[in-house]
Amino acid sequence: DTEVTQTPKHLVMGMTNKKSLKCEQHMGHRAMYWYKQKAKKPPELMFVYSYEKLSINESVPSRFSPECPNSSLLNLHLHALQPEDSALYLCASSQDLRRRANVLTFGAGSRLTVL
Amino acid sequence: AQSVTQLDSQVPVFEEAPVELRCNYSSSVSVYLFWYVQYPNQGLQLLLKYLSGSTLVKGINGFEAEFNKSQTSFHLRKPSVHISDTAEYFCAARRNYGQNFVFGPGTRLSVLP
């Protein structure tokens, strides 16, 4: 199993809604990431978890709240989002931040539209 | 600060022609280099990586890249492209044991019939 699975694939929400994006991997990876990607742009790092602890928060607004319940799961809780938050949200995992051969494996993404 | 440059935002090429997508990085220390491909409405897929050893790296789908330390480049090549290679290609770099991957702006490869 060499996949990173993201759900839902598409999400439409209003600015007052609360929703969550989910990510799951069963490759035994110990680092998990959230990236945000706008159209025709590269992915931008939001958060990194290493061994289920938050390692990097790239100054992301508090309306985005990450959670790593265990080594296989990563959630992104969304609340009071703005239309400019509409984007493709990509989850990724890698073996271990301390290893030289640390390579990102991406999921297919969750396309979020905020109305 | 580390950065990755992809000089060509768009590269149109005819089917079965060769292609080179350029990538340059800036860093004063050793880096690890990657090429990812993104097909429409999908996530990023690893094409190939350079960690150490031979400077010519072969990847999936017939792609290869050459690491050139003196020119701080990691250009991606394919001798004969197919329509199915139409996609966005991202070059990325990571410093030794660094947590963050830095992505270039991307190159849109369009293969024409």
Side-chain angles (χ1 to χ4, degrees):
Chain A
D1 189 356
T2 57
E3 284 189 350
V4 175
T5 303
Q6 291 188 243
T7 55
K9 290 191 183 302
H10 300 275
L11 178 63
V12 179
M13 60 186 292
M15 290 189 284
T16 58
N17 292 158
K18 285 186 180 181
K19 297 286 185 182
S20 297
L21 304 180
K22 297 184 184 301
C23 175
E24 188 169 5
Q25 58 88 13
H26 294 290
M27 296 178 281
H29 289 178
R30 303 314 302 265
M32 296 187 77
Y33 309 69
W34 279 115
Y35 282 86
K36 173 182 178 180
Q37 187 180 28
K38 301 285 271 186
K40 302 187 188 301
K41 296 290 186 183
E44 296 176 17
L45 183 65
M46 299 175 72
F47 304 102
V48 181
Y49 274 83
S50 177
Y51 286 82
E52 297 146 58
K53 292 191 186 324
L54 185 63
S55 178
I56 293 180
N57 176 342
E58 289 288 339
S59 302
V60 179
S62 59
R63 58 185 184 268
F64 296 91
S65 176
E67 177 195 21
C68 190
N70 60 55
S71 60
S72 300
L73 293 174
L74 184 66
N75 298 320
L76 186 63
H77 302 298
L78 314 171
H79 175 52
L81 295 192
Q82 304 297 312
E84 59 264 29
D85 296 321
S86 298
L88 181 67
Y89 288 84
L90 294 164
C91 175
S93 69
S94 66
Q95 297 94 323
D96 189 321
L97 296 181
R98 299 168 299 184
R99 290 182 59 180
R100 187 176 73 170
N102 194 39
V103 178
L104 291 173
T105 301
F106 283 88
S110 293
R111 185 161 300 280
L112 173 67
T113 303
V114 182
L115 301 177
Chain B
Q2 188 176 339
S3 68
V4 176
T5 304
Q6 293 179 248
L7 290 176
D8 306 305
S9 60
Q10 297 186 63
V11 173
V13 63
F14 287 106
E15 193 174 18
E16 297 184 6
V19 70
E20 177 179 83
L21 305 184
R22 296 181 292 170
C23 172
N24 289 87
Y25 67 94
S26 65
S27 178
S28 60
V29 297
S30 298
V31 296
Y32 303 128
L33 297 162
F34 309 84
W35 275 99
Y36 283 86
V37 61
Q38 186 175 31
Y39 299 103
N41 299 312
Q42 293 189 27
L44 280 71
Q45 179 183 6
L46 181 68
L47 275 179
L48 46 79
K49 62 183 182 287
Y50 173 76
L51 302 180
S52 67
S54 172
T55 57
L56 183 62
V57 180
K58 293 191 183 298
I60 63 171
N61 301 341
F63 284 94
E64 64 180 32
E66 185 154 21
F67 171 63
N68 188 320
K69 188 173 183 179
S70 63
Q71 297 185 9
T72 60
S73 68
F74 190 55
H75 300 332
L76 181 71
R77 302 186 183 99
K78 185 169 182 177
S80 176
V81 295
H82 303 288
I83 296 287
S84 59
D85 292 323
T86 294
E88 191 80 24
Y89 291 79
F90 293 99
C91 183
R94 178 174 66 83
R95 296 182 68 157
N96 285 347
Y97 303 103
Q99 298 181 40
N100 196 1
F101 289 73
V102 178
F103 285 88
T107 297
R108 171 73 179 175
L109 174 63
S110 297
V111 181
L112 310 172

